[in-house]
Amino acid sequence: MEPPASPRRVTIVDVARHAQVSTTAVSKVLRNAYGASPEMRAKVRRAIDELGYRPLAAARGMRGRTYTIGVMLPDIRNPFFPEILDGITGCLEDTDYQVLLGPGCNGEKEELRVTEAMIDRGMDGLVLVAPVSSRDRLDHVASVLPTVVVGRHGHSPVYDTVVDDDAAGAALVVEHLAGLGHRRIAHFEHHETDPTRTAEMPNAQRADGYRRAMRNLGLDAETDVVSTTYTQQGGYLGAKELLARALRPTAVFAGADIVAMGVLEAVDEAGLSVPGDLSVAGYDNTTFAALGPISLTSVDQAGREIGRNAARLLLERIADRGKPSVQVKLSPTLVERRTTARPGA
């Protein structure tokens, strides 16, 4: 007994016959091209819905566009990045574009593999979130496909950027903690050695903002930076180091909420309390920061607004590859919660 034949894919010819129009008319509707009347568009759209027609992305790419956008996320475990993704997908909701994700895994080799795969698959544009690749590599990618880079403070003539004012956000945290009476305020930075990334990445900007704010408040002698990683494990290990000291800080500015979670874990493990023994502030204002049992003071850098701006700029660059590059810088705000209080409170 022969296996049943696979159902045949509906083609543009089937749509044309069903709508009783030419294939040229169907093509115009699919491309949203000039020359198709509202009545014609309605007939074709109705036929597409009734037949369940789906255009092949590869075929659309041969005609100029695939209507797919690649988004590279450095770490899918970090709860801040879905906020950016929500902003991107929300901006594209009323368009024909679909988003495909690729994990960059916080490494140049992995980013190279992901971006090349997206280019090879004919995507119309890329949003690269906090990429660690070199400037030359980013320039090369942007010369091949319209690109928007999120979370890199450098300027480029070939790609647009969306960033948070990370130095200002760090100052908000330091000023808040100093206003509560803290002087020994430690900061957890993401360890970085590449000079370009040191100048451009958010973690470096936040560390610089922390140092500058401490100096401006006359607390330069109390500056205390712990180099770790922007992960929960990094925060945990950094906090273990701080808590083992004879003279502990009274407050910690973790460079990201995910780092702050590791700090909270280490403090609890040591039998200490937050904020009684240690005030803790994060950065990103992720969804779990607002959870009642956590109630983490954090800097809100408006992740969804970052994503919306990235998608808007990418659509503009897809429409006009030669337009001057743009940098959007958003102003952060501080959300005060229960993990920060006066020393010993």
Side-chain angles (χ1 to χ4, degrees), residues 229-249:
T229 59
Y230 265 18
T231 62
Q232 184 168 345
Q233 179 71 358
Y236 173 80
L237 294 176
K240 294 275 283 186
E241 175 188 328
L242 286 183
L243 296 176
R245 296 179 184 176
L247 184 63
R248 298 194 304 257

Side-chain angles (χ1 to χ4, degrees), residues 22-278:
S22 68
T23 55
T24 300
V26 176
S27 178
K28 286 182 178 180
V29 173
L30 290 174
R31 292 183 288 112
N32 198 28
Y34 176 78
S37 67
E39 294 78 10
M40 178 79 71
R41 293 181 187 278
K43 288 177 65 176
V44 171
R45 289 296 179 191
R46 187 164 53 249
I48 287 172
D49 291 341
E50 291 173 355
L51 296 177
Y53 171 71
R54 297 289 301 162
L56 282 169
R60 296 179 84 179
M62 291 175 67
R63 293 193 296 269
R65 290 188 185 177
T66 61
Y67 291 94
T68 55
I69 286 174
V71 177
M72 190 281 294
L73 298 178
D75 184 358
I76 60 175
R77 291 175 295 270
N78 189 321
F80 173 62
F81 296 129
E83 296 289 322
I84 297 176
L85 185 60
D86 281 348
I88 294 172
T89 55
C91 181
L92 299 176
E93 187 175 13
D94 295 327
T95 74
D96 290 332
Y97 284 96
Q98 293 293 323
V99 171
L100 297 179
L101 300 181
C105 303
N106 289 308
E108 291 193 51
K109 182 179 178 181
E110 292 81 2
E111 284 186 7
L112 174 64
R113 187 165 180 256
V114 167
T115 53
E116 286 187 343
M118 290 177 171
I119 292 170
D120 291 345
R121 282 155 180 79
M123 295 188 183
D124 294 335
L126 302 178
V127 176
L128 306 180
V129 180
V132 298
S133 296
S134 69
R135 175 75 69 78
D136 287 346
R137 173 62 191 167
L138 296 178
D139 284 345
H140 170 72
V141 171
S143 70
V144 177
L145 274 186
T147 300
V148 174
V149 173
V150 171
R152 286 279 289 256
H153 286 263
H155 292 268
S156 169
V158 290
Y159 58 79
D160 304 304
T161 56
V162 184
V163 296
D164 170 60
D165 193 338
D166 293 287
L172 291 175
V173 176
V174 175
E175 290 163 3
H176 166 66
L177 293 170
L180 291 171
H182 294 278
R183 293 184 58 83
R184 298 195 306 276
I185 303 169
H187 173 60
F188 286 9
E189 70 170 356
H190 181 81
H191 181 66
E192 187 60 78
T193 57
D194 182 271
T196 299
R197 291 202 296 265
T198 298
E200 295 185 357
M201 295 298 280
N203 47 281
Q205 295 279 321
R206 291 170 197 173
D208 286 346
Y210 159 80
R211 292 185 178 93
R212 191 178 308 121
M214 291 289 282
R215 185 166 58 248
N216 291 342
L217 291 168
L219 300 176
D220 197 29
E222 304 290 348
T223 298
D224 185 2
V225 178
V226 177
S227 289
T228 180
T229 59
Y230 265 18
T231 62
Q232 184 168 345
Q233 179 71 358
Y236 173 80
L237 294 176
K240 294 275 283 186
E241 175 188 328
L242 286 183
L243 296 176
R245 296 179 184 176
L247 184 63
R248 298 194 304 257
T250 62
V252 167
F253 165 33
D257 285 359
I258 191 71
V259 181
M261 296 307 295
V263 176
L264 296 177
E265 180 185 0
V267 172
D268 181 68
E269 186 180 278
L272 301 174
S273 68
V274 173
D277 295 299
L278 186 73

Side-chain angles (χ1 to χ4, degrees), residues 296-314:
L296 177 69
T297 293
S298 184
V299 175
D300 187 349
Q301 59 169 323
R304 294 190 183 196
E305 191 63 25
I306 288 174
R308 281 192 289 269
N309 276 279
R312 174 181 60 81
L313 290 175
L314 186 59

